[in-house]
């Protein structure tokens, strides 16, 4: 049964699992499979679909937009996101970044591709060191006032940058960011478990966390062989492969897999459930290139009771990467 979580300090509820389209929609998988995945997700209670202007250079939003248009789900029953920063055209000046110009133009273009009147969650995909944070806050605030987006947030911003945005918003009576989209998985923990703690405590912040399986390595499928039909074997993604498929990481995955085996659950289910155990996670964005992967991963919400504090301690021992927070 899907669980719904309060989304930071907002009034909305978000499904604990959601579905993203990076590298799959408009790229790795065909459009009919993308539709099958969205239907499977929605029928299982997922109410948030994640996208960005840069995914397949706009094509991912086009594919998702056509699916939403054809399926005619009630607009109030789902949320869709876009992210602005990397651009979707060429790399001419002003075609990327967080200037008022690119934010407004990027939003207009995403609305058209997604076939929606408004975007529920609109993210700044990365910080932009060349644009004053106040300009970005003002642009996001004006999009909310125009009804083109409902909530805005950040992705992979530092705690300091997020706090600066809050400061500017408060000083100028503008709407502050309410969510972050950081990477979070067994192998990447610092932002969620250390850097953002004060923001969770004082500002409140929803999180839509990405790469719960570290691009598939935490599924355990790279332990015994070298599967070819996968993201990490795709041409042009050598950087992602090199970053993820290291001996040190595989050694940890092997030891975690033994814990999953003991619990009689699959490795992807354990890795996703582990993310859900963190109360600061509002939703875990799943990625899938096959329907059976999504079916398997959706079970993560049901096996949560198996992940006791004892199991969490065993996992921490293997990972040896838990940020040390001094207690007093
Ligand atoms: P994951 O780390 O979970 O990787 C998903 C991939 O792992 C799938 O596409 C599939 O790839 C493989 N996989 C998934 N389930 C299984 C399974 N049960 N068994 C075996 N292999 C499996 O998530 P993503 O990296 O896709 O991130 C999720 C979403 O987060 C993205 O779609 C995007 O919306 C968002 N995101 C945001 C970023 C940001 O900067 N804000 C950055 C990255 C992602 P394959 O079959 O090809 O091996």
């Amino acid at each position: 049964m899907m669980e719904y979580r309060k989304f930071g300090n907002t009034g909305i509820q978000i499904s604990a699992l959601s579905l993203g389209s990076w590298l799959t929609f408009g790229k790795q998988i065909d459009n009919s499979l993308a539709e099958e995945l969205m239907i499977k997700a929605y029928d299982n209670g997922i109410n948030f679909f994640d996208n960005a202007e840069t995914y397949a250079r706009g094509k991912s939003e086009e594919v998702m937009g056509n699916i939403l248009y054809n399926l005619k789900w009630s607009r109030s029953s789902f949320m869709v996101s876009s992210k602005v920063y990397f651009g979707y055209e060429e790399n001419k000046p002003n075609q990327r970044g967080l200037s008022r110009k690119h934010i407004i133009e990027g939003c207009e273009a995403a609305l058209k591709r997604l076939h929606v009147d408004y975007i529920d969650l609109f993210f700044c995909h990365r910080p932009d060191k060349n644009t004053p944070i106040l300009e970005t806050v003002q642009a996001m605030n004006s999009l909310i006032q125009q009804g083109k987006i409902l909530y805005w947030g950040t992705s992979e911003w530092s705690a300091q940058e997020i706090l600066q945005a809050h400061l500017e918003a408060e000083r100028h009576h503008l709407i502050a960011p309410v969510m972050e989209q950081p990477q979070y998985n067994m192998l990447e923990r610092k932002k969620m478990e250390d850097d953002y703690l004060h923001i969770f405590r004082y500002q409140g912040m929803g999180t839509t966390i990405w790469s719960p399986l570290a691009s598939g390595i935490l599924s355990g499928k790279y332990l015994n062989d070298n599967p070819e039909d996968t993201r990490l074997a795709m041409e042009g993604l050598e950087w992602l492969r090199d970053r993820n498929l290291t001996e040190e990481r595989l050694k940890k995955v092997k030891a975690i897999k033994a814990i999953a085996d003991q619990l009689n659950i699959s490795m992807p289910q354990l890795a996703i459930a582990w993310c859900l155990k963190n109360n600061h996670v509002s939703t875990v964005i799943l990625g899938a290139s096959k329907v059976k992967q999504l079916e398997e991963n959706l079970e993560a919400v049901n096996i949560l009771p198996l992940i006791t504090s004892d199991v969490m301690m065993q996992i921490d021992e293997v990972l040896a990467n838990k940020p040390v927070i001094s207690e007093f």
Side-chain angles (χ1 to χ4, degrees):
M1 271 273 285
M2 186 53 69
E3 174 197 338
Y4 296 90
R5 295 190 170 185
K6 181 174 158 47
F7 193 43
N9 269 355
T10 74
I12 45 177
Q13 291 186 56
I14 194 160
S15 47
L17 300 177
S18 43
L19 181 67
S21 58
W22 180 51
L23 297 176
T24 50
F25 286 38
K27 203 166 178 163
Q28 191 185 2
I29 64 175
D30 65 37
N31 298 353
S32 60
L33 177 52
E35 180 168 311
E36 254 187 277
L37 290 170
M38 283 187 68
I39 293 173
K40 173 70 62 182
Y42 185 81
D43 287 349
N44 279 278
I46 281 182
N47 73 354
F48 168 50
F49 298 93
D50 187 59
N51 221 319
E53 61 173 5
T54 190
Y55 294 171
R57 294 242 152 195
K59 225 171 134 206
S60 166
E61 291 185 336
E62 262 169 40
V63 172
M64 191 176 276
N66 288 338
I67 295 169
L68 290 173
Y69 183 78
N70 290 333
L71 292 176
K72 304 212 173 348
W73 292 330
S74 157
R75 184 66 185 88
S76 55
S77 68
F78 69 89
M79 296 186 278
V80 65
S81 73
S82 180
K83 303 184 208 87
V84 66
Y85 174 82
F86 289 106
Y88 55 93
E89 299 170 285
E90 300 160 67
N91 274 336
K92 292 196 172 140
N94 305 324
Q95 290 184 328
R96 53 181 287 151
L98 298 178
S99 65
R100 180 177 294 118
K101 180 169 171 65
H102 185 60
I103 287 180
I104 304 295
E105 289 171 352
C107 179
E108 293 291 351
L111 283 168
K112 286 202 186 89
R113 287 191 295 262
L114 287 166
H115 281 299
V116 288
D117 296 327
Y118 57 88
I119 291 164
D120 298 271
L121 311 181
F122 198 44
F123 292 89
C124 297
H125 210 155
R126 289 291 180 272
D128 176 0
K129 311 283 181 195
N130 294 309
T131 302
I133 289 182
L134 175 58
E135 178 172 336
T136 298
V137 177
Q138 286 169 330
M140 287 295 182
N141 185 77
S142 69
L143 285 174
I144 292 177
Q145 302 305 334
Q146 292 168 44
K148 292 185 176 170
I149 66 170
L150 302 188
Y151 300 91
W152 81 277
T154 57
S155 179
E156 294 293 332
W157 280 32
S158 69
Q160 188 202 358
E161 287 156 340
I162 297 169
L163 286 174
Q164 185 66 30
H166 277 269
L167 204 76
E168 298 288 17
E170 199 178 319
R171 197 180 277 155
H172 299 273
H173 303 288
L174 301 168
I175 297 174
V178 294
M179 70 249 178
E180 225 298 317
Q181 184 164 135
Q183 180 174 186
Y184 183 55
N185 56 51
M186 286 179 173
L187 303 166
E188 288 286 341
R189 306 174 63 169
K190 191 169 175 303
K191 274 205 164 85
M192 281 296 290
E193 294 185 24
D194 186 353
D195 297 1
Y196 293 159
L197 288 185
H198 277 315
I199 304 181
F200 292 133
R201 179 176 297 177
Y202 299 109
Q203 270 73 30
M205 181 167 75
T207 59
T208 60
I209 65 106
W210 60 268
S211 284
L213 299 180
S215 271
I217 181 183
L218 285 167
S219 72
K221 67 184 170 188
Y222 295 95
L223 285 176
N224 303 319
D225 51 6
N226 224 348
E228 275 172 13
D229 177 24
T230 74
R231 169 186 302 184
L232 295 184
M234 277 164 71
E235 225 183 281
L237 291 180
E238 294 75 14
W239 61 272
L240 193 65
R241 187 186 170 83
D242 293 349
R243 186 187 291 177
N244 279 291
L245 278 186
T246 64
E247 215 166 291
E248 192 200 341
R249 284 178 157 223
L250 284 169
K251 215 168 120 192
K252 288 184 179 179
V253 175
K254 191 170 176 194
I256 300 283
K257 171 88 170 45
I259 300 176
D261 289 346
Q262 257 175 29
L263 294 169
N264 221 0
I265 57 178
S266 76
M267 178 68 197
Q269 288 163 351
L270 177 59
I272 293 162
W274 179 90
C275 296
L276 288 170
K277 290 289 286 186
N278 184 331
N279 290 336
H280 293 130
V281 169
S282 315
T283 187
V284 173
I285 314 179
L286 304 176
S289 71
K290 296 176 182 61
V291 174
K292 68 174 185 343
Q293 292 176 349
L294 182 58
E295 283 169 348
E296 179 179 11
N297 299 350
L298 281 164
E299 278 302 307
V301 277
N302 298 325
I303 54 103
L304 266 177
L306 296 178
I307 321 298
T308 58
S309 42
D310 235 36
V311 172
M312 289 298 274
M313 263 161 60
Q314 280 180 50
I315 294 173
D316 274 340
E317 261 171 51
V318 170
L319 294 175
N321 61 358
K322 190 180 168 73
V324 180
I325 313 291
S326 42
E327 288 176 25
F328 52 89

